[in-house]
Amino acid sequence: VSKLKSIIIPPKDSERTKAASLDHPIIVIINLKGKRQSILDGNHRLQKAIDTDKQTIKVRELDLREAPDLYKRLLNYKIK
């Protein structure tokens, strides 16, 4: 969880965060340089893990270095 805090987009809906199920993994984009880029799905789940002091959470990675070219074009972006 601590390794993902830097890429979370803090959710605004606290009720949705409370209702989030940690049974399902979050999806993290790994950029073309091999770094964690962003959370594609699961910001509420990660926020719940942070709020409840969880040390670990299920994660699936979408590694753009191995993804089809279309995914690379769509998902290789920077959050500013």
Side-chain angles (χ1 to χ4, degrees):
V1 170
S2 63
K3 292 179 182 179
L4 301 173
K5 286 182 180 180
S6 65
I7 61 170
I8 191 172
I9 298 172
K12 296 178 182 177
D13 186 345
S14 62
E15 291 303 313
R16 191 166 165 206
T17 298
K18 289 177 190 174
S21 172
L22 298 181
D23 293 335
H24 306 287
I26 65 171
I27 301 172
V28 175
I29 295 175
I30 305 299
N31 68 19
L32 297 174
K33 295 179 181 179
K35 305 288 183 186
R36 291 178 197 92
Q37 174 178 302
S38 61
I39 297 170
L40 182 61
D41 182 58
N43 279 296
H44 289 90
R45 282 170 272 164
L46 179 55
Q47 187 63 57
K48 182 173 185 171
I50 293 167
D51 293 348
T52 58
D53 295 322
K54 299 286 184 195
Q55 298 298 307
T56 60
I57 189 172
K58 295 176 186 177
V59 174
R60 300 286 310 249
E61 294 180 341
L62 174 56
D63 193 331
L64 294 182
R65 297 169 297 176
E66 300 171 5
D69 287 340
L70 175 62
Y71 284 34
K72 290 176 186 178
R73 288 192 305 273
L74 288 173
L75 300 172
N76 190 39
Y77 59 89
K78 292 183 181 181
I79 297 175
K80 297 179 182 181

